[in-house]
Amino acid sequence: MKNTVYYFFLIAFLTACQNNVKENKQEHVKPKIEDRYQPQEYVKLTHPEWSKNAVIYQLNTRQFTDEGTFESAQKQLPRLKELGVDIIWLMPIHPIGVKNRKGTLGSPYSVKDYYGVNPEFGDLQDLKNFVDDAHKQGMYVILDWVANHTAWDNTWVVEHPDWYEKDYKGDFRPTPWWNWDDIIDLNYNNPEVRKNMTGALKYWVKEADIDGYRCDVAGFVPVEFWNNAREELDAIKPVFMLAEWEFRDLHAKAFDMTYAWSWNETVHKICTGKADVNGLYIYYSWNECAFPQNSMRMTFVSNHDKNAWEGTMWEQFGDGLEAAIVLSVVGEGMPLIYNGQEAGNKKRLAFFEKDPIQWREHYIGDLYKKLFALMKTNTALWHAKWGTTMIKVPNNAESEVFSFVRQNDKDKVFAVFNFSENKRTVEFKESLCYGNYKDFISNEPVELNKNTKIEMDPWAFKVFVK
């Protein structure tokens, strides 16, 4: 009995000692921070691998060729491939409404039937042939999609009038505050609208094997609609989604890329003397800090809206055009080229009428081609998680000269832009830009060090590649 009691107390004593040792150890272990305080990846979607160093090209079928058809546009696919195009964005392909139509042919953004093909461009088989040929040449095709509104005579108007917004009088309502009186708004508070619009989006991926969408005025449609639509589309095949909007929330689950409208507006103001380079510091600070790292922004000097309503690329950027084009490619963002830019198009293409592009060889096309080739091979210039963040390089004329580096373990680019009408001798005081490079234009070797001074003409650019 004594032995039993002795062993009982011995075991109790040893257990207490062991617990005390554990407690003492725990006092010196760094407490684990709760999961709620851990950084979270904002972008939940997966970008298609082929978008990592892609170039996007907007094709206005009506004006792209004299015939204005998919069949005739298909013949130019080899040229687009040679230019460096990866993603072809076709403007809306659907039949256009007749009721309240603008102009002779109407706006392609006034959709009469989401399941139809505009006979002006051809038929469904012609579209399939275009997509199939693009795929064979290593390119991808996305369709322009108008989810916010339809034509007045869309098939849904008669069949489902409850799917539409109404004004205070109970009448169908165009998008408020705009002069878009050839269309009427859908009501996304109705689940049937969401279900049927998603079904139409899925149809073209299944039927024509398209690779995604450019979504018109995407911010006018609820984000949760797009989030679900992306999930259902990705279940069919990995897609690429571009939003005509500038809003970070669209990047989380719905869109790979949003418009960099404010980039375009900032560079336009600089090139027309209404702002200086400080505007770019504001844009790139906002882009780096407010938008998620694994997101894409679309940078551009022209598109169908800019060209038709505000002016050609020449009107918009004047003497600064080439510098603006170069920045759109070597800066952060996926570059867009609007059809005709590569031919040096100098006219505003009519929006509601037939007005074909006059094709020709042009140095702007050569510049784009050379830039695209650089971007594809230089990993520092890639997009989203695959690319690198721009780092400002201070210089002695920072209100007029914009300079930065993009670099990783493999590649490096140092770019300098004189966004002014003054000739500048530019010096750099930080070692980030020092080293041995090749000049992007001349391909000549260049050494940059603390004693380097670069003579820059008005509106000139320099790109050094390491």
Side-chain angles (χ1 to χ4, degrees), residues 313 340-346 357-362 364-365:
M313 59 182 177
Q341 281 188 261
E342 70 268 43
N345 176 44
K346 291 190 175 182
I357 297 165
Q358 303 302 308
W359 292 105
R360 57 177 175 162
E361 297 291 329
H362 198 273
I364 291 293

Side-chain angles (χ1 to χ4, degrees), residues 3-14:
N3 289 338
T4 303
V5 173
Y6 170 77
Y7 284 119
F8 172 79
F9 281 110
L10 179 61
I11 292 169
F13 173 74
L14 292 174

Side-chain angles (χ1 to χ4, degrees), residues 121-133:
F121 305 147
D123 58 22
L124 177 58
Q125 189 57 53
D126 293 326
L127 175 64
K128 288 182 177 182
N129 293 342
F130 181 93
V131 174
D132 183 59
D133 199 358

Side-chain angles (χ1 to χ4, degrees), residues 309-372:
W309 313 119
E310 297 181 41
T312 67
M313 59 182 177
W314 308 96
E315 293 175 280
Q316 288 284 294
F317 295 94
D319 292 336
L321 175 61
E322 290 180 55
I325 288 173
V326 173
L327 182 57
S328 77
V329 181
V330 301
E332 288 180 65
M334 182 186 292
L336 166 75
I337 180 169
Y338 179 50
N339 58 193
Q341 281 188 261
E342 70 268 43
N345 176 44
K346 291 190 175 182
K347 67 176 178 178
R348 301 187 184 191
L349 300 175
F351 202 71
F352 308 118
E353 312 294 338
K354 182 69 178 147
D355 187 17
I357 297 165
Q358 303 302 308
W359 292 105
R360 57 177 175 162
E361 297 291 329
H362 198 273
Y363 73 88
I364 291 293
D366 295 336
L367 177 61
Y368 266 120
K369 183 178 179 179
K370 188 175 177 68
L371 286 165
F372 295 159

Side-chain angles (χ1 to χ4, degrees), residues 93-95 111-119 123-124 127 203-204:
I93 61 148
H94 307 296
V111 176
K112 188 175 182 179
D113 178 9
Y114 286 108
Y115 291 89
V117 174
N118 186 347
D123 58 22
L124 177 58
L127 175 64
Y203 169 82
W204 292 100

Side-chain angles (χ1 to χ4, degrees), residues 59-116:
L59 197 157
N60 184 340
T61 309
R62 178 181 287 167
Q63 317 299 16
F64 191 65
T65 63
D66 290 339
E67 299 86 352
T69 63
F70 297 133
E71 184 178 7
S72 59
Q74 184 178 333
K75 296 174 184 177
Q76 291 206 40
L77 288 178
R79 179 183 67 78
L80 298 184
K81 179 66 176 178
E82 184 181 1
L83 179 62
V85 171
D86 301 285
I87 303 172
I88 299 171
W89 147 25
L90 291 177
M91 285 176 62
I93 61 148
H94 307 296
I96 295 171
V98 175
K99 185 177 180 180
N100 296 328
R101 170 178 286 190
K102 291 189 175 184
T104 305
L105 300 176
S107 168
Y109 294 89
S110 178
V111 176
K112 188 175 182 179
D113 178 9
Y114 286 108
Y115 291 89

Side-chain angles (χ1 to χ4, degrees), residues 84-204:
V85 171
D86 301 285
I87 303 172
I88 299 171
W89 147 25
L90 291 177
M91 285 176 62
I93 61 148
H94 307 296
I96 295 171
V98 175
K99 185 177 180 180
N100 296 328
R101 170 178 286 190
K102 291 189 175 184
T104 305
L105 300 176
S107 168
Y109 294 89
S110 178
V111 176
K112 188 175 182 179
D113 178 9
Y114 286 108
Y115 291 89
V117 174
N118 186 347
E120 178 188 346
F121 305 147
D123 58 22
L124 177 58
Q125 189 57 53
D126 293 326
L127 175 64
K128 288 182 177 182
N129 293 342
F130 181 93
V131 174
D132 183 59
D133 199 358
H135 287 170
K136 289 177 180 177
Q137 297 183 55
M139 293 182 284
Y140 301 84
V141 179
I142 65 174
L143 300 186
D144 210 326
W145 196 261
V146 188
N148 176 67
H149 49 260
T150 77
W152 285 84
D153 46 0
N154 186 287
T155 54
W156 288 354
V157 175
V158 174
E159 296 171 1
H160 305 285
D162 57 314
W163 289 6
Y164 287 84
E165 294 274 9
K166 305 295 196 304
D167 64 15
Y168 71 96
K169 297 177 289 186
D171 297 331
F172 293 118
R173 186 187 73 169
T175 303
W177 304 99
W178 292 89
N179 64 344
W180 303 345
D181 49 13
D182 58 337
I183 56 88
I184 50 178
D185 276 9
L186 288 161
N187 179 8
Y188 277 83
N189 288 322
N190 188 327
E192 288 297 316
V193 172
R194 299 184 180 212
K195 180 180 179 180
N196 282 273
M197 187 62 74
T198 304
L201 285 161
K202 291 163 66 176
Y203 169 82
W204 292 100

